[in-house]
Amino acid sequence: MLREALAQVPGASTAKILVRVDGAGATHGLHEHLRDPNTMRRTVRFTTGWTITDEDEKAVARLPEAAWETSLQQDGSVQEGCFVAELSGLNRREGWIRGML
């Protein structure tokens, strides 16, 4: 289905593509498929959500207070009472493509 969807993108819009997938798409095969269509003329990037596990919760708990920053709304304004932090490198998942985590 993704291959057919990408084939329908107008030519001028195919240079940079962002694919967003929910947890149901968090598979090694789909991620490898999304990595493979990159060429000199087209860059496909993707984000994937997944169900938060106990290991994820433990990684979040290890973050120092200084790691957290106030989050922003889509328009760039501050989202009061909501915070974000970078979790990369604190939780390892085996078998994912290089650069995934």
Side-chain angles (χ1 to χ4, degrees):
M1 180 169 60
L2 178 61
R3 185 181 354 256
E4 291 174 14
L6 290 175
Q8 294 179 37
V9 176
S13 301
T14 61
K16 294 181 181 178
I17 298 173
L18 173 63
V19 177
R20 293 174 53 184
V21 181
D22 68 12
T27 66
H28 299 285
L30 179 61
H31 290 154
E32 290 165 5
H33 178 74
L34 288 167
R35 175 199 58 202
D36 293 343
N38 288 304
T39 67
M40 294 283 289
R41 300 179 72 180
R42 177 173 62 187
T43 302
V44 177
R45 297 288 183 248
F46 59 94
T47 63
T48 304
W50 65 76
T51 301
I52 295 176
T53 65
D54 288 340
E55 289 301 314
D56 295 324
E57 293 286 352
K58 290 175 188 172
V60 170
R62 289 193 306 267
L63 289 171
E65 188 69 30
W68 294 94
E69 299 180 25
T70 303
S71 67
L72 302 176
Q73 303 274 6
Q74 277 187 305
D75 66 4
S77 62
V78 173
Q79 189 171 4
E80 295 296 334
C82 296
F83 301 90
V84 296
E86 180 62 49
L87 191 60
S88 296
L90 293 179
N91 191 5
R92 309 312 282 159
R93 285 184 163 78
E94 296 301 320
W96 294 104
I97 62 176
R98 185 170 185 257
M100 186 72 184
L101 292 172

